[in-house]
Amino acid sequence: MQLLRVKDVERELGISRTTIWRLVKAGAFPPPLRITSKAIA
């Protein structure tokens, strides 16, 4: 399994951060995982 940071997902898919969070809320995108106390992927 590969974890991507939000910036990487934005760049790879060409969508905005807001769109990513909307998709997560709608259940159409996997939720973020906390990888450290200050970072999520």
Side-chain angles (χ1 to χ4, degrees):
M1 174 170 65
Q2 181 180 5
L3 299 176
L4 299 173
R5 304 295 292 269
V6 174
K7 287 182 181 183
D8 298 328
V9 174
E10 286 179 84
R11 188 177 337 105
E12 290 290 324
L13 298 180
I15 59 177
S16 70
R17 180 177 299 250
T18 303
T19 301
I20 294 169
W21 296 119
R22 282 186 192 142
L23 291 170
V24 169
K25 186 176 181 181
F29 208 78
L33 298 172
R34 184 160 299 280
I35 55 176
T36 68
S37 63
K38 296 182 179 183
I40 61 171

PDB file of all heavy atoms in Angstrom:
ATOM      1  N   MET A   1       0.848  -1.173   0.000  1.00  0.00           N
ATOM      2  CA  MET A   1       0.000   0.000   0.000  1.00  0.00           C
ATOM      3  C   MET A   1       0.895   1.238   0.000  1.00  0.00           C
ATOM      4  O   MET A   1       1.856   1.316   0.743  1.00  0.00           O
ATOM      5  CB  MET A   1      -0.908  -0.008   1.230  1.00  0.00           C
ATOM      6  CG  MET A   1      -1.715   1.247   1.356  1.00  0.00           C
ATOM      7  SD  MET A   1      -3.017   1.240   2.599  1.00  0.00           S
ATOM      8  CE  MET A   1      -2.118   1.098   4.110  1.00  0.00           C
ATOM      9  N   GLN A   2       0.553   2.198  -0.846  1.00  0.00           N
ATOM     10  CA  GLN A   2       1.310   3.431  -0.925  1.00  0.00           C
ATOM     11  C   GLN A   2       0.461   4.571  -0.366  1.00  0.00           C
ATOM     12  O   GLN A   2      -0.709   4.715  -0.715  1.00  0.00           O
ATOM     13  CB  GLN A   2       1.680   3.731  -2.366  1.00  0.00           C
ATOM     14  CG  GLN A   2       2.496   4.978  -2.527  1.00  0.00           C
ATOM     15  CD  GLN A   2       2.845   5.240  -3.989  1.00  0.00           C
ATOM     16  OE1 GLN A   2       2.401   4.527  -4.871  1.00  0.00           O
ATOM     17  NE2 GLN A   2       3.614   6.251  -4.220  1.00  0.00           N
ATOM     18  N   LEU A   3       1.044   5.373   0.504  1.00  0.00           N
ATOM     19  CA  LEU A   3       0.340   6.521   1.061  1.00  0.00           C
ATOM     20  C   LEU A   3       0.798   7.781   0.353  1.00  0.00           C
ATOM     21  O   LEU A   3       1.984   7.983   0.133  1.00  0.00           O
ATOM     22  CB  LEU A   3       0.623   6.650   2.564  1.00  0.00           C
ATOM     23  CG  LEU A   3       0.195   5.474   3.426  1.00  0.00           C
ATOM     24  CD1 LEU A   3       0.616   5.702   4.874  1.00  0.00           C
ATOM     25  CD2 LEU A   3      -1.304   5.282   3.356  1.00  0.00           C
ATOM     26  N   LEU A   4      -0.162   8.619  -0.016  1.00  0.00           N
ATOM     27  CA  LEU A   4       0.134   9.870  -0.689  1.00  0.00           C
ATOM     28  C   LEU A   4      -0.324  11.028   0.185  1.00  0.00           C
ATOM     29  O   LEU A   4      -1.372  10.961   0.813  1.00  0.00           O
ATOM     30  CB  LEU A   4      -0.584   9.956  -2.031  1.00  0.00           C
ATOM     31  CG  LEU A   4      -0.237   8.903  -3.066  1.00  0.00           C
ATOM     32  CD1 LEU A   4      -1.166   9.021  -4.263  1.00  0.00           C
ATOM     33  CD2 LEU A   4       1.204   9.055  -3.498  1.00  0.00           C
ATOM     34  N   ARG A   5       0.444  12.103   0.179  1.00  0.00           N
ATOM     35  CA  ARG A   5       0.045  13.312   0.882  1.00  0.00           C
ATOM     36  C   ARG A   5      -1.009  14.017   0.039  1.00  0.00           C
ATOM     37  O   ARG A   5      -1.122  13.789  -1.170  1.00  0.00           O
ATOM     38  CB  ARG A   5       1.251  14.226   1.093  1.00  0.00           C
ATOM     39  CG  ARG A   5       2.416  13.562   1.832  1.00  0.00           C
ATOM     40  CD  ARG A   5       2.096  13.189   3.268  1.00  0.00           C
ATOM     41  NE  ARG A   5       1.908  14.349   4.119  1.00  0.00           N
ATOM     42  CZ  ARG A   5       2.880  14.943   4.810  1.00  0.00           C
ATOM     43  NH1 ARG A   5       4.098  14.470   4.782  1.00  0.00           N
ATOM     44  NH2 ARG A   5       2.610  15.985   5.558  1.00  0.00           N
ATOM     45  N   VAL A   6      -1.782  14.891   0.659  1.00  0.00           N
ATOM     46  CA  VAL A   6      -2.858  15.590  -0.047  1.00  0.00           C
ATOM     47  C   VAL A   6      -2.313  16.365  -1.247  1.00  0.00           C
ATOM     48  O   VAL A   6      -2.904  16.347  -2.329  1.00  0.00           O
ATOM     49  CB  VAL A   6      -3.636  16.522   0.911  1.00  0.00           C
ATOM     50  CG1 VAL A   6      -4.662  17.344   0.141  1.00  0.00           C
ATOM     51  CG2 VAL A   6      -4.325  15.719   1.991  1.00  0.00           C
ATOM     52  N   LYS A   7      -1.170  17.014  -1.088  1.00  0.00           N
ATOM     53  CA  LYS A   7      -0.571  17.759  -2.204  1.00  0.00           C
ATOM     54  C   LYS A   7      -0.276  16.846  -3.386  1.00  0.00           C
ATOM     55  O   LYS A   7      -0.461  17.226  -4.541  1.00  0.00           O
ATOM     56  CB  LYS A   7       0.718  18.453  -1.764  1.00  0.00           C
ATOM     57  CG  LYS A   7       0.497  19.639  -0.894  1.00  0.00           C
ATOM     58  CD  LYS A   7       1.825  20.282  -0.559  1.00  0.00           C
ATOM     59  CE  LYS A   7       1.621  21.480   0.349  1.00  0.00           C
ATOM     60  NZ  LYS A   7       2.878  22.160   0.639  1.00  0.00           N
ATOM     61  N   ASP A   8       0.193  15.642  -3.095  1.00  0.00           N
ATOM     62  CA  ASP A   8       0.490  14.685  -4.164  1.00  0.00           C
ATOM     63  C   ASP A   8      -0.780  14.241  -4.879  1.00  0.00           C
ATOM     64  O   ASP A   8      -0.804  14.096  -6.105  1.00  0.00           O
ATOM     65  CB  ASP A   8       1.225  13.467  -3.607  1.00  0.00           C
ATOM     66  CG  ASP A   8       2.563  13.818  -2.990  1.00  0.00           C
ATOM     67  OD1 ASP A   8       3.203  14.768  -3.481  1.00  0.00           O
ATOM     68  OD2 ASP A   8       2.961  13.151  -2.014  1.00  0.00           O
ATOM     69  N   VAL A   9      -1.848  14.022  -4.125  1.00  0.00           N
ATOM     70  CA  VAL A   9      -3.126  13.624  -4.724  1.00  0.00           C
ATOM     71  C   VAL A   9      -3.657  14.750  -5.608  1.00  0.00           C
ATOM     72  O   VAL A   9      -4.117  14.501  -6.724  1.00  0.00           O
ATOM     73  CB  VAL A   9      -4.158  13.252  -3.631  1.00  0.00           C
ATOM     74  CG1 VAL A   9      -5.527  12.970  -4.249  1.00  0.00           C
ATOM     75  CG2 VAL A   9      -3.683  12.049  -2.835  1.00  0.00           C
ATOM     76  N   GLU A  10      -3.562  15.985  -5.112  1.00  0.00           N
ATOM     77  CA  GLU A  10      -3.987  17.136  -5.915  1.00  0.00           C
ATOM     78  C   GLU A  10      -3.259  17.161  -7.256  1.00  0.00           C
ATOM     79  O   GLU A  10      -3.877  17.344  -8.298  1.00  0.00           O
ATOM     80  CB  GLU A  10      -3.670  18.446  -5.190  1.00  0.00           C
ATOM     81  CG  GLU A  10      -4.553  18.765  -4.026  1.00  0.00           C
ATOM     82  CD  GLU A  10      -4.153  20.062  -3.375  1.00  0.00           C
ATOM     83  OE1 GLU A  10      -4.589  21.137  -3.864  1.00  0.00           O
ATOM     84  OE2 GLU A  10      -3.397  20.028  -2.389  1.00  0.00           O
ATOM     85  N   ARG A  11      -1.966  17.006  -7.209  1.00  0.00           N
ATOM     86  CA  ARG A  11      -1.137  17.066  -8.418  1.00  0.00           C
ATOM     87  C   ARG A  11      -1.446  15.895  -9.353  1.00  0.00           C
ATOM     88  O   ARG A  11      -1.612  16.083 -10.553  1.00  0.00           O
ATOM     89  CB  ARG A  11       0.342  17.057  -8.030  1.00  0.00           C
ATOM     90  CG  ARG A  11       1.262  17.306  -9.191  1.00  0.00           C
ATOM     91  CD  ARG A  11       2.737  17.372  -8.835  1.00  0.00           C
ATOM     92  NE  ARG A  11       3.074  17.704  -7.464  1.00  0.00           N
ATOM     93  CZ  ARG A  11       3.520  16.822  -6.554  1.00  0.00           C
ATOM     94  NH1 ARG A  11       3.691  15.568  -6.871  1.00  0.00           N
ATOM     95  NH2 ARG A  11       3.808  17.213  -5.327  1.00  0.00           N
ATOM     96  N   GLU A  12      -1.528  14.692  -8.821  1.00  0.00           N
ATOM     97  CA  GLU A  12      -1.744  13.504  -9.652  1.00  0.00           C
ATOM     98  C   GLU A  12      -3.119  13.491 -10.314  1.00  0.00           C
ATOM     99  O   GLU A  12      -3.249  13.087 -11.464  1.00  0.00           O
ATOM    100  CB  GLU A  12      -1.587  12.230  -8.806  1.00  0.00           C
ATOM    101  CG  GLU A  12      -0.174  11.945  -8.374  1.00  0.00           C
ATOM    102  CD  GLU A  12       0.730  11.533  -9.520  1.00  0.00           C
ATOM    103  OE1 GLU A  12       0.260  10.828 -10.435  1.00  0.00           O
ATOM    104  OE2 GLU A  12       1.899  11.943  -9.500  1.00  0.00           O
ATOM    105  N   LEU A  13      -4.153  13.899  -9.578  1.00  0.00           N
ATOM    106  CA  LEU A  13      -5.512  13.822 -10.106  1.00  0.00           C
ATOM    107  C   LEU A  13      -5.993  15.126 -10.729  1.00  0.00           C
ATOM    108  O   LEU A  13      -7.030  15.147 -11.394  1.00  0.00           O
ATOM    109  CB  LEU A  13      -6.486  13.401  -8.997  1.00  0.00           C
ATOM    110  CG  LEU A  13      -6.243  12.029  -8.380  1.00  0.00           C
ATOM    111  CD1 LEU A  13      -7.274  11.739  -7.307  1.00  0.00           C
ATOM    112  CD2 LEU A  13      -6.254  10.945  -9.445  1.00  0.00           C
ATOM    113  N   GLY A  14      -5.280  16.215 -10.469  1.00  0.00           N
ATOM    114  CA  GLY A  14      -5.683  17.500 -11.018  1.00  0.00           C
ATOM    115  C   GLY A  14      -6.957  18.045 -10.401  1.00  0.00           C
ATOM    116  O   GLY A  14      -7.738  18.713 -11.072  1.00  0.00           O
ATOM    117  N   ILE A  15      -7.173  17.740  -9.117  1.00  0.00           N
ATOM    118  CA  ILE A  15      -8.350  18.256  -8.413  1.00  0.00           C
ATOM    119  C   ILE A  15      -7.894  19.063  -7.206  1.00  0.00           C
ATOM    120  O   ILE A  15      -6.771  18.921  -6.731  1.00  0.00           O
ATOM    121  CB  ILE A  15      -9.314  17.124  -7.988  1.00  0.00           C
ATOM    122  CG1 ILE A  15      -8.626  16.115  -7.061  1.00  0.00           C
ATOM    123  CG2 ILE A  15      -9.896  16.416  -9.206  1.00  0.00           C
ATOM    124  CD1 ILE A  15      -9.534  15.021  -6.539  1.00  0.00           C
ATOM    125  N   SER A  16      -8.783  19.898  -6.700  1.00  0.00           N
ATOM    126  CA  SER A  16      -8.432  20.766  -5.584  1.00  0.00           C
ATOM    127  C   SER A  16      -8.547  20.038  -4.245  1.00  0.00           C
ATOM    128  O   SER A  16      -9.193  18.987  -4.142  1.00  0.00           O
ATOM    129  CB  SER A  16      -9.343  21.991  -5.560  1.00  0.00           C
ATOM    130  OG  SER A  16     -10.660  21.619  -5.192  1.00  0.00           O
ATOM    131  N   ARG A  17      -7.947  20.634  -3.238  1.00  0.00           N
ATOM    132  CA  ARG A  17      -8.017  20.106  -1.876  1.00  0.00           C
ATOM    133  C   ARG A  17      -9.472  20.037  -1.407  1.00  0.00           C
ATOM    134  O   ARG A  17      -9.893  19.061  -0.791  1.00  0.00           O
ATOM    135  CB  ARG A  17      -7.192  21.015  -0.959  1.00  0.00           C
ATOM    136  CG  ARG A  17      -7.158  20.606   0.472  1.00  0.00           C
ATOM    137  CD  ARG A  17      -6.268  21.532   1.259  1.00  0.00           C
ATOM    138  NE  ARG A  17      -4.900  21.470   0.743  1.00  0.00           N
ATOM    139  CZ  ARG A  17      -3.884  20.927   1.393  1.00  0.00           C
ATOM    140  NH1 ARG A  17      -4.049  20.451   2.592  1.00  0.00           N
ATOM    141  NH2 ARG A  17      -2.699  20.880   0.851  1.00  0.00           N
ATOM    142  N   THR A  18     -10.255  21.058  -1.732  1.00  0.00           N
ATOM    143  CA  THR A  18     -11.666  21.088  -1.350  1.00  0.00           C
ATOM    144  C   THR A  18     -12.420  19.921  -1.970  1.00  0.00           C
ATOM    145  O   THR A  18     -13.229  19.268  -1.302  1.00  0.00           O
ATOM    146  CB  THR A  18     -12.311  22.418  -1.772  1.00  0.00           C
ATOM    147  OG1 THR A  18     -11.583  23.493  -1.173  1.00  0.00           O
ATOM    148  CG2 THR A  18     -13.764  22.496  -1.365  1.00  0.00           C
ATOM    149  N   THR A  19     -12.148  19.636  -3.220  1.00  0.00           N
ATOM    150  CA  THR A  19     -12.803  18.517  -3.909  1.00  0.00           C
ATOM    151  C   THR A  19     -12.433  17.193  -3.260  1.00  0.00           C
ATOM    152  O   THR A  19     -13.286  16.318  -3.089  1.00  0.00           O
ATOM    153  CB  THR A  19     -12.436  18.512  -5.401  1.00  0.00           C
ATOM    154  OG1 THR A  19     -12.854  19.754  -5.979  1.00  0.00           O
ATOM    155  CG2 THR A  19     -13.097  17.359  -6.131  1.00  0.00           C
ATOM    156  N   ILE A  20     -11.177  17.048  -2.873  1.00  0.00           N
ATOM    157  CA  ILE A  20     -10.742  15.818  -2.199  1.00  0.00           C
ATOM    158  C   ILE A  20     -11.552  15.607  -0.934  1.00  0.00           C
ATOM    159  O   ILE A  20     -12.086  14.522  -0.687  1.00  0.00           O
ATOM    160  CB  ILE A  20      -9.233  15.858  -1.878  1.00  0.00           C
ATOM    161  CG1 ILE A  20      -8.431  15.845  -3.181  1.00  0.00           C
ATOM    162  CG2 ILE A  20      -8.840  14.687  -0.980  1.00  0.00           C
ATOM    163  CD1 ILE A  20      -6.957  16.135  -2.997  1.00  0.00           C
ATOM    164  N   TRP A  21     -11.691  16.658  -0.103  1.00  0.00           N
ATOM    165  CA  TRP A  21     -12.426  16.514   1.158  1.00  0.00           C
ATOM    166  C   TRP A  21     -13.910  16.277   0.917  1.00  0.00           C
ATOM    167  O   TRP A  21     -14.560  15.540   1.663  1.00  0.00           O
ATOM    168  CB  TRP A  21     -12.186  17.711   2.064  1.00  0.00           C
ATOM    169  CG  TRP A  21     -10.749  17.806   2.489  1.00  0.00           C
ATOM    170  CD1 TRP A  21      -9.899  18.829   2.247  1.00  0.00           C
ATOM    171  CD2 TRP A  21      -9.984  16.814   3.195  1.00  0.00           C
ATOM    172  NE1 TRP A  21      -8.649  18.546   2.760  1.00  0.00           N
ATOM    173  CE2 TRP A  21      -8.673  17.320   3.352  1.00  0.00           C
ATOM    174  CE3 TRP A  21     -10.273  15.558   3.699  1.00  0.00           C
ATOM    175  CZ2 TRP A  21      -7.675  16.604   3.990  1.00  0.00           C
ATOM    176  CZ3 TRP A  21      -9.272  14.850   4.341  1.00  0.00           C
ATOM    177  CH2 TRP A  21      -7.989  15.372   4.474  1.00  0.00           C
ATOM    178  N   ARG A  22     -14.469  16.874  -0.139  1.00  0.00           N
ATOM    179  CA  ARG A  22     -15.879  16.607  -0.483  1.00  0.00           C
ATOM    180  C   ARG A  22     -16.064  15.141  -0.847  1.00  0.00           C
ATOM    181  O   ARG A  22     -17.053  14.507  -0.455  1.00  0.00           O
ATOM    182  CB  ARG A  22     -16.322  17.482  -1.647  1.00  0.00           C
ATOM    183  CG  ARG A  22     -16.620  18.886  -1.267  1.00  0.00           C
ATOM    184  CD  ARG A  22     -17.189  19.656  -2.454  1.00  0.00           C
ATOM    185  NE  ARG A  22     -17.207  21.067  -2.148  1.00  0.00           N
ATOM    186  CZ  ARG A  22     -16.945  22.021  -3.003  1.00  0.00           C
ATOM    187  NH1 ARG A  22     -16.659  21.729  -4.251  1.00  0.00           N
ATOM    188  NH2 ARG A  22     -16.975  23.287  -2.632  1.00  0.00           N
ATOM    189  N   LEU A  23     -15.134  14.592  -1.618  1.00  0.00           N
ATOM    190  CA  LEU A  23     -15.215  13.184  -2.007  1.00  0.00           C
ATOM    191  C   LEU A  23     -15.076  12.263  -0.800  1.00  0.00           C
ATOM    192  O   LEU A  23     -15.761  11.243  -0.698  1.00  0.00           O
ATOM    193  CB  LEU A  23     -14.148  12.862  -3.052  1.00  0.00           C
ATOM    194  CG  LEU A  23     -14.356  13.488  -4.426  1.00  0.00           C
ATOM    195  CD1 LEU A  23     -13.112  13.306  -5.287  1.00  0.00           C
ATOM    196  CD2 LEU A  23     -15.584  12.916  -5.113  1.00  0.00           C
ATOM    197  N   VAL A  24     -14.196  12.611   0.131  1.00  0.00           N
ATOM    198  CA  VAL A  24     -14.036  11.822   1.356  1.00  0.00           C
ATOM    199  C   VAL A  24     -15.344  11.837   2.147  1.00  0.00           C
ATOM    200  O   VAL A  24     -15.828  10.792   2.592  1.00  0.00           O
ATOM    201  CB  VAL A  24     -12.867  12.359   2.228  1.00  0.00           C
ATOM    202  CG1 VAL A  24     -12.882  11.719   3.610  1.00  0.00           C
ATOM    203  CG2 VAL A  24     -11.537  12.127   1.537  1.00  0.00           C
ATOM    204  N   LYS A  25     -15.932  13.023   2.294  1.00  0.00           N
ATOM    205  CA  LYS A  25     -17.181  13.147   3.048  1.00  0.00           C
ATOM    206  C   LYS A  25     -18.316  12.353   2.407  1.00  0.00           C
ATOM    207  O   LYS A  25     -19.149  11.770   3.098  1.00  0.00           O
ATOM    208  CB  LYS A  25     -17.567  14.623   3.161  1.00  0.00           C
ATOM    209  CG  LYS A  25     -18.748  14.870   4.040  1.00  0.00           C
ATOM    210  CD  LYS A  25     -19.025  16.360   4.205  1.00  0.00           C
ATOM    211  CE  LYS A  25     -20.212  16.561   5.118  1.00  0.00           C
ATOM    212  NZ  LYS A  25     -20.517  17.992   5.287  1.00  0.00           N
ATOM    213  N   ALA A  26     -18.328  12.304   1.072  1.00  0.00           N
ATOM    214  CA  ALA A  26     -19.367  11.573   0.346  1.00  0.00           C
ATOM    215  C   ALA A  26     -19.119  10.063   0.331  1.00  0.00           C
ATOM    216  O   ALA A  26     -19.961   9.301  -0.139  1.00  0.00           O
ATOM    217  CB  ALA A  26     -19.457  12.096  -1.084  1.00  0.00           C
ATOM    218  N   GLY A  27     -17.934   9.633   0.807  1.00  0.00           N
ATOM    219  CA  GLY A  27     -17.618   8.214   0.817  1.00  0.00           C
ATOM    220  C   GLY A  27     -17.077   7.709  -0.507  1.00  0.00           C
ATOM    221  O   GLY A  27     -16.955   6.510  -0.716  1.00  0.00           O
ATOM    222  N   ALA A  28     -16.740   8.643  -1.417  1.00  0.00           N
ATOM    223  CA  ALA A  28     -16.252   8.263  -2.739  1.00  0.00           C
ATOM    224  C   ALA A  28     -14.736   8.241  -2.819  1.00  0.00           C
ATOM    225  O   ALA A  28     -14.177   7.944  -3.878  1.00  0.00           O
ATOM    226  CB  ALA A  28     -16.807   9.230  -3.780  1.00  0.00           C
ATOM    227  N   PHE A  29     -14.075   8.548  -1.725  1.00  0.00           N
ATOM    228  CA  PHE A  29     -12.618   8.621  -1.691  1.00  0.00           C
ATOM    229  C   PHE A  29     -12.172   8.116  -0.328  1.00  0.00           C
ATOM    230  O   PHE A  29     -12.861   8.349   0.673  1.00  0.00           O
ATOM    231  CB  PHE A  29     -12.189  10.088  -1.882  1.00  0.00           C
ATOM    232  CG  PHE A  29     -10.841  10.254  -2.520  1.00  0.00           C
ATOM    233  CD1 PHE A  29     -10.667  10.090  -3.880  1.00  0.00           C
ATOM    234  CD2 PHE A  29      -9.747  10.596  -1.749  1.00  0.00           C
ATOM    235  CE1 PHE A  29      -9.438  10.256  -4.473  1.00  0.00           C
ATOM    236  CE2 PHE A  29      -8.512  10.766  -2.329  1.00  0.00           C
ATOM    237  CZ  PHE A  29      -8.350  10.595  -3.691  1.00  0.00           C
ATOM    238  N   PRO A  30     -11.058   7.416  -0.231  1.00  0.00           N
ATOM    239  CA  PRO A  30     -10.634   6.877   1.060  1.00  0.00           C
ATOM    240  C   PRO A  30     -10.298   7.988   2.060  1.00  0.00           C
ATOM    241  O   PRO A  30      -9.736   9.021   1.670  1.00  0.00           O
ATOM    242  CB  PRO A  30      -9.396   6.047   0.739  1.00  0.00           C
ATOM    243  CG  PRO A  30      -8.961   6.463  -0.607  1.00  0.00           C
ATOM    244  CD  PRO A  30     -10.132   7.062  -1.312  1.00  0.00           C
ATOM    245  N   PRO A  31     -10.648   7.796   3.318  1.00  0.00           N
ATOM    246  CA  PRO A  31     -10.338   8.813   4.333  1.00  0.00           C
ATOM    247  C   PRO A  31      -8.838   8.870   4.618  1.00  0.00           C
ATOM    248  O   PRO A  31      -8.113   7.890   4.384  1.00  0.00           O
ATOM    249  CB  PRO A  31     -11.105   8.331   5.554  1.00  0.00           C
ATOM    250  CG  PRO A  31     -11.264   6.879   5.365  1.00  0.00           C
ATOM    251  CD  PRO A  31     -11.349   6.660   3.877  1.00  0.00           C
ATOM    252  N   PRO A  32      -8.363   9.996   5.110  1.00  0.00           N
ATOM    253  CA  PRO A  32      -6.942  10.134   5.416  1.00  0.00           C
ATOM    254  C   PRO A  32      -6.533   9.295   6.630  1.00  0.00           C
ATOM    255  O   PRO A  32      -7.355   8.987   7.490  1.00  0.00           O
ATOM    256  CB  PRO A  32      -6.780  11.620   5.707  1.00  0.00           C
ATOM    257  CG  PRO A  32      -8.120  12.064   6.159  1.00  0.00           C
ATOM    258  CD  PRO A  32      -9.114  11.224   5.406  1.00  0.00           C
ATOM    259  N   LEU A  33      -5.269   8.947   6.658  1.00  0.00           N
ATOM    260  CA  LEU A  33      -4.691   8.227   7.797  1.00  0.00           C
ATOM    261  C   LEU A  33      -3.650   9.120   8.445  1.00  0.00           C
ATOM    262  O   LEU A  33      -2.832   9.736   7.762  1.00  0.00           O
ATOM    263  CB  LEU A  33      -4.000   6.945   7.343  1.00  0.00           C
ATOM    264  CG  LEU A  33      -4.867   5.888   6.672  1.00  0.00           C
ATOM    265  CD1 LEU A  33      -3.980   4.779   6.126  1.00  0.00           C
ATOM    266  CD2 LEU A  33      -5.859   5.338   7.650  1.00  0.00           C
ATOM    267  N   ARG A  34      -3.645   9.184   9.756  1.00  0.00           N
ATOM    268  CA  ARG A  34      -2.628   9.966  10.465  1.00  0.00           C
ATOM    269  C   ARG A  34      -1.351   9.132  10.504  1.00  0.00           C
ATOM    270  O   ARG A  34      -1.345   8.011  10.991  1.00  0.00           O
ATOM    271  CB  ARG A  34      -3.102  10.293  11.876  1.00  0.00           C
ATOM    272  CG  ARG A  34      -2.127  11.178  12.605  1.00  0.00           C
ATOM    273  CD  ARG A  34      -2.723  11.904  13.776  1.00  0.00           C
ATOM    274  NE  ARG A  34      -3.806  12.799  13.433  1.00  0.00           N
ATOM    275  CZ  ARG A  34      -3.665  14.022  12.935  1.00  0.00           C
ATOM    276  NH1 ARG A  34      -2.462  14.480  12.682  1.00  0.00           N
ATOM    277  NH2 ARG A  34      -4.697  14.772  12.682  1.00  0.00           N
ATOM    278  N   ILE A  35      -0.260   9.694   9.955  1.00  0.00           N
ATOM    279  CA  ILE A  35       1.010   8.950   9.923  1.00  0.00           C
ATOM    280  C   ILE A  35       1.980   9.431  10.983  1.00  0.00           C
ATOM    281  O   ILE A  35       2.873   8.699  11.367  1.00  0.00           O
ATOM    282  CB  ILE A  35       1.637   8.980   8.518  1.00  0.00           C
ATOM    283  CG1 ILE A  35       1.814  10.390   8.006  1.00  0.00           C
ATOM    284  CG2 ILE A  35       0.820   8.162   7.551  1.00  0.00           C
ATOM    285  CD1 ILE A  35       2.521  10.500   6.673  1.00  0.00           C
ATOM    286  N   THR A  36       1.823  10.673  11.435  1.00  0.00           N
ATOM    287  CA  THR A  36       2.557  11.204  12.585  1.00  0.00           C
ATOM    288  C   THR A  36       1.602  12.144  13.306  1.00  0.00           C
ATOM    289  O   THR A  36       0.465  12.354  12.842  1.00  0.00           O
ATOM    290  CB  THR A  36       3.829  11.981  12.183  1.00  0.00           C
ATOM    291  OG1 THR A  36       3.452  13.189  11.513  1.00  0.00           O
ATOM    292  CG2 THR A  36       4.755  11.159  11.302  1.00  0.00           C
ATOM    293  N   SER A  37       2.066  12.753  14.369  1.00  0.00           N
ATOM    294  CA  SER A  37       1.173  13.658  15.101  1.00  0.00           C
ATOM    295  C   SER A  37       0.820  14.907  14.298  1.00  0.00           C
ATOM    296  O   SER A  37      -0.174  15.565  14.563  1.00  0.00           O
ATOM    297  CB  SER A  37       1.819  14.067  16.422  1.00  0.00           C
ATOM    298  OG  SER A  37       3.012  14.786  16.194  1.00  0.00           O
ATOM    299  N   LYS A  38       1.632  15.221  13.282  1.00  0.00           N
ATOM    300  CA  LYS A  38       1.384  16.416  12.481  1.00  0.00           C
ATOM    301  C   LYS A  38       1.113  16.156  11.008  1.00  0.00           C
ATOM    302  O   LYS A  38       0.876  17.090  10.258  1.00  0.00           O
ATOM    303  CB  LYS A  38       2.581  17.360  12.589  1.00  0.00           C
ATOM    304  CG  LYS A  38       2.800  17.897  13.984  1.00  0.00           C
ATOM    305  CD  LYS A  38       3.950  18.854  14.008  1.00  0.00           C
ATOM    306  CE  LYS A  38       4.142  19.391  15.416  1.00  0.00           C
ATOM    307  NZ  LYS A  38       5.213  20.379  15.466  1.00  0.00           N
ATOM    308  N   ALA A  39       1.148  14.919  10.587  1.00  0.00           N
ATOM    309  CA  ALA A  39       1.007  14.622   9.152  1.00  0.00           C
ATOM    310  C   ALA A  39      -0.073  13.576   8.904  1.00  0.00           C
ATOM    311  O   ALA A  39      -0.221  12.621   9.661  1.00  0.00           O
ATOM    312  CB  ALA A  39       2.331  14.112   8.600  1.00  0.00           C
ATOM    313  N   ILE A  40      -0.811  13.793   7.812  1.00  0.00           N
ATOM    314  CA  ILE A  40      -1.778  12.800   7.366  1.00  0.00           C
ATOM    315  C   ILE A  40      -1.474  12.443   5.933  1.00  0.00           C
ATOM    316  O   ILE A  40      -0.843  13.196   5.208  1.00  0.00           O
ATOM    317  CB  ILE A  40      -3.237  13.300   7.509  1.00  0.00           C
ATOM    318  CG1 ILE A  40      -3.483  14.540   6.656  1.00  0.00           C
ATOM    319  CG2 ILE A  40      -3.608  13.528   8.945  1.00  0.00           C
ATOM    320  CD1 ILE A  40      -4.924  14.946   6.577  1.00  0.00           C
ATOM    321  N   ALA A  41      -1.908  11.278   5.526  1.00  0.00           N
ATOM    322  CA  ALA A  41      -1.679  10.823   4.142  1.00  0.00           C
ATOM    323  C   ALA A  41      -2.897  10.072   3.663  1.00  0.00           C
ATOM    324  O   ALA A  41      -3.748   9.677   4.445  1.00  0.00           O
ATOM    325  CB  ALA A  41      -0.447   9.932   4.079  1.00  0.00           C
TER     326      ALA A  41
END
